[in-house]
């Protein structure tokens, strides 16, 4: 066409050219303010032959204010990654229905005043990020995204201050990646985004959203590395969206990612959540646990978990089944707790409790009469037994022969502070002293 070096143009009009087949000569074109490309019966506006033989959309900044009557219209799908930091760049996408790539909308320099030109946009085949300071972000500024139905990637909201209203995104039907909400955001984001998906029912058990709507969830109030005092100060001005049995998020079953960093949550409630691919809980000063309310089992299976610096978080009460990961700086760490009843039937069994500090169920020490156990030293880190402590025979074992031969004392239980149930010490062959329970402060049941 002779336009191979054209970089920008104010107005472009290509109409009624029956023999025109492609616009490949406009490969370098980066900016078009207004264009009309129509009634070119053989024109494939997207056609450009790559070395692989696959077509690519070209040119990537061609807006096609009017593109009709062509073999393939120009408003098909601009391909690439786009950052909108100027109003003119947003206006150049007027009429586009699909963007095949990632989109970032940056309000930080106040150069973007509205998104009205994007009111035809239905799909983003990549991630969407909205970021910047917010005085500009009033309740109507996102109205231009009112027809957006699909974000085939992550949806990130990174604001510095103020409030953004997401209600204009009422037609959004699917986020295949992770919803990422960062500091400075106020309001009930989930209600604004997901209200039309919630089932208004008398019982929260009936709240069962379409699982495919959302892939993962990331909420962050303070940047990683912020010390606890500064983070707590920042959180005074942040209201994080609700996650409870009555919210859309609370009804999900599976998440590829669940991340809470520097939030002010005390508890997070899920009705049906059973599987999380990656769980990160860091620096949440008030978080006590994740709660699963309904289902066949109340355990949440975690692929990889990083749970650290949550001083009130009790991993065992949250009943997290973590395959791999790390846990430190919490009230009860995940790698030091067992959510089960445990029976020590041989000296070898003690090794399984070597590093455990909290046992959610009962602990029974009952070694058969033909075996010996001489020490409980492997239990030196055990601080809490939230069920019964049974040393010897259970109450229903009235005819059991004396057990635990060789066990003269309870040495090894010096760190034990709490027994949530009762203590039963019965039918021990050689036990002569229980004076080692010096740290024991609370027994919620009764002793025999």
């Amino acid at each position: 066409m002779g336009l191979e070096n054209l970089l920008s143009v104010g107005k472009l009009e290509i109409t009624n050219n029956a023999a025109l087949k492609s616009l490949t000569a406009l490969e370098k074109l980066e900016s078009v303010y207004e264009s009309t490309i129509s009634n070119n019966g053989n024109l494939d506006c997207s056609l450009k032959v790559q070395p692989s033989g696959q077509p690519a959309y070209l040119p990537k900044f061609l807006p096609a204010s009017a593109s009709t009557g062509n073999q393939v219209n120009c408003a098909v799908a601009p391909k690439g990654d786009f950052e909108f930091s100027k109003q003119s760049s947003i206006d150049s996408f007027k009429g586009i229905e699909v963007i095949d790539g990632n989109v970032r909308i940056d309000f930080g320099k106040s150069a973007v005043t509205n998104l009205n030109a994007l009111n035809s946009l239905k799909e983003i085949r990549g991630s969407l990020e909205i970021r910047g300071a917010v005085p500009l972000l009033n309740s109507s500024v996102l109205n231009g995204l009112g027809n957006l139905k699909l974000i085939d990637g992550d949806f990130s909201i990174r604001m510095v201050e103020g409030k953004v209203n997401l209600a204009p995104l009422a037609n959004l039907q699917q986020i295949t990646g992770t919803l990422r909400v960062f500091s400075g955001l106020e309001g009930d984001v989930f209600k604004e985004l997901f209200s039309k998906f919630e089932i208004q029912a008398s019982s929260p058990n009936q709240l069962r959203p379409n699982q495919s709507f959302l892939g993962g969830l990331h909420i962050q109030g303070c940047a990683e590395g912020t010390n606890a005092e500064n983070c707590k100060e920042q959180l005074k001005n942040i209201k994080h969206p609700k996650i409870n049995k009555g919210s859309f998020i609370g009804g999900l079953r599976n998440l590829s990612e669940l991340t809470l960093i520097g939030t002010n949550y005390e508890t997070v409630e899920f009705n049906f959540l059973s599987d999380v691919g990656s769980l990160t809980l860091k620096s949440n000063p008030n978080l006590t646990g994740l709660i699963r309310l309904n289902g066949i089992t109340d355990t949440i299976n975690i692929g990889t978990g990083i749970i650290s610096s949550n001083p009130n978080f009790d991993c065992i009460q949250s009943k997290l089944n973590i395959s791999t990961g790390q846990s430190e700086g919490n009230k009860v760490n995940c790698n030091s707790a067992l959510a089960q009843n445990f029976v020590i039937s041989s000296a070898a069994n003690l090794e399984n409790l070597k590093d455990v500090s909290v046992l959610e169920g009962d602990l029974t020490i009952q070694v058969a009469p033909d075996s010996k156990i001489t020490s409980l030293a492997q239990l030196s880190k055990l601080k809490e037994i939230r069920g019964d402590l049974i040393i010897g025979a259970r109450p229903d074992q009235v005819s059991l022969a004396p057990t635990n031969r060789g066990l003269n004392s309870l040495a090894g239980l010096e760190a034990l502070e709490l027994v949530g149930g009762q203590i039963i010490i019965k039918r021990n062959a050689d036990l002569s002293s229980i004076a080692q329970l010096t740290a024991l402060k609370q027994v919620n049941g009764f002793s025999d």
Side-chain angles (χ1 to χ4, degrees):
M1 292 178 61
L3 300 174
E4 289 82 357
N5 293 310
L6 187 63
L7 298 177
S8 65
V9 62
K11 182 176 182 179
L12 177 67
E13 181 175 350
I14 302 174
T15 59
N16 301 304
N17 300 286
L20 185 63
K21 295 183 178 181
S22 78
L23 299 178
T24 55
L26 297 177
E27 180 174 4
K28 294 183 180 180
L29 187 63
E30 294 181 353
S31 176
V32 179
Y33 183 76
E34 180 183 349
S35 67
T36 302
I37 302 175
S38 60
N39 300 319
N40 305 288
N42 291 299
L43 175 63
D44 183 344
C45 194
S46 68
L47 186 61
K48 176 188 176 185
V49 177
Q50 300 283 320
S52 62
Q54 299 298 317
Y57 299 105
L58 176 81
K60 86 177 178 180
F61 285 101
L62 192 64
S65 301
S67 181
T68 59
N70 307 298
Q71 182 179 333
V72 177
N73 291 322
C74 300
V76 177
K79 190 177 182 70
D81 296 335
F82 304 93
E83 179 169 354
F84 297 127
S85 57
K86 297 180 180 179
Q87 187 63 42
S88 59
S89 60
I90 288 177
D91 293 342
S92 72
F93 271 64
K94 185 177 181 180
I96 297 294
E97 296 184 0
V98 177
I99 295 177
D100 192 358
N102 301 315
V103 175
R104 173 188 286 184
I105 301 173
D106 189 349
F107 292 91
K109 298 179 181 178
S110 301
V112 176
T113 58
N114 68 79
L115 306 180
N116 294 340
L118 302 180
N119 60 7
S120 296
L121 187 62
K122 296 178 181 178
E123 295 183 16
I124 296 175
R125 296 172 183 169
S127 297
L128 171 62
E129 180 179 346
I130 297 175
R131 65 182 303 154
V134 189
L136 194 60
L137 280 184
N138 54 50
S139 61
S140 62
V141 73
L142 297 183
N143 283 353
L145 299 177
N147 288 310
L148 185 63
K149 295 181 178 180
L150 170 67
I151 299 174
D152 194 7
D154 295 343
F155 179 21
S156 301
I157 308 165
R158 300 173 181 265
M159 312 316 302
V160 176
E161 59 184 14
K163 179 177 180 179
V164 57
N165 187 343
L166 300 179
L169 299 175
N171 285 314
L172 188 61
Q173 297 177 4
Q174 187 176 17
I175 303 169
T176 63
T178 296
L179 174 61
R180 302 182 183 276
V181 180
F182 291 83
S183 60
L185 191 66
E186 297 180 359
D188 193 337
V189 178
F190 301 149
K191 185 176 181 179
E192 293 172 350
L193 274 177
F194 308 139
S195 59
K196 71 190 180 73
F197 292 92
E198 292 188 11
I199 301 172
Q200 300 300 322
S202 57
S203 168
N205 294 347
Q206 299 179 39
L207 181 62
R208 299 196 180 202
N210 178 3
Q211 176 58 49
S212 64
F213 177 85
L214 184 66
L217 179 66
H218 181 127
I219 298 180
Q220 185 166 337
C222 302
E224 287 194 59
T226 304
N227 66 47
E229 185 175 343
N230 289 340
C231 183
K232 198 168 184 178
E233 186 65 26
Q234 291 177 35
L235 290 176
K236 287 182 179 179
N237 301 316
I238 298 175
K239 178 187 279 188
H240 285 110
K242 295 177 181 178
I243 303 179
N244 56 33
K245 62 185 179 181
S247 70
F248 175 89
I249 297 296
L252 290 173
R253 292 180 178 274
N254 307 296
L255 289 169
S256 61
E257 174 191 345
L258 175 58
T259 297
L260 304 177
I261 298 176
T263 73
N264 49 24
Y265 287 117
E266 294 182 3
T267 59
V268 176
E269 297 178 353
F270 294 94
N271 268 22
F272 309 102
L273 188 67
S274 59
D275 294 281
V276 177
S278 173
L279 174 67
T280 301
L281 305 176
K282 288 184 178 181
S283 304
N284 301 286
N286 303 315
L287 186 66
T288 60
L290 305 184
I291 302 174
R292 190 177 189 276
L293 302 173
N294 300 295
I296 298 174
T297 174
D298 55 4
T299 299
I300 302 176
N301 297 312
I302 310 296
T304 302
I306 300 176
I307 303 174
S308 62
S309 303
N310 308 288
N312 292 299
F313 186 79
D314 187 332
C315 193
I316 191 168
Q317 285 192 339
S318 294
K319 298 186 179 179
L320 305 180
N321 180 19
I322 300 177
S323 297
T324 61
Q326 64 186 58
S327 178
E328 59 187 6
N330 309 294
K331 180 179 180 181
V332 178
N333 291 318
C334 302
N335 50 9
S336 64
L338 288 178
Q340 64 185 69
N341 296 326
F342 201 91
V343 178
I344 297 173
S345 58
S346 69
N349 289 152
L350 284 168
E351 290 296 324
N352 296 320
L353 296 178
K354 186 176 180 181
D355 295 316
V356 171
S357 63
V358 178
L359 186 65
E360 177 71 14
D362 300 337
L363 175 61
T364 301
I365 303 172
Q366 187 183 96
V367 177
D370 57 350
S371 299
K372 274 191 174 185
I373 180 170
T374 59
S375 171
L376 302 177
Q378 292 91 333
L379 303 181
S380 62
K381 295 183 180 179
L382 188 61
K383 293 183 178 181
E384 295 185 15
I385 299 171
R386 294 178 177 172
D388 295 336
L389 171 59
I390 302 169
I391 303 172
R394 299 192 308 271
D396 59 335
Q397 295 177 310
V398 294
S399 60
L400 183 72
T403 67
N404 299 327
R405 291 190 182 277
L407 186 63
N408 298 313
S409 73
L410 299 184
L413 291 178
E414 288 86 352
L416 185 63
E417 298 177 357
L418 177 144
V419 175
Q422 56 186 329
I423 297 177
I424 300 169
I425 302 174
K426 186 174 182 178
R427 303 186 71 81
N428 290 276
D430 301 314
L431 187 63
S432 60
S433 174
I434 62 171
Q436 295 74 26
L437 297 175
T438 54
L440 190 61
K441 299 175 182 177
Q442 183 176 351
V443 178
N444 293 335
F446 57 89
S447 303
D448 284 351

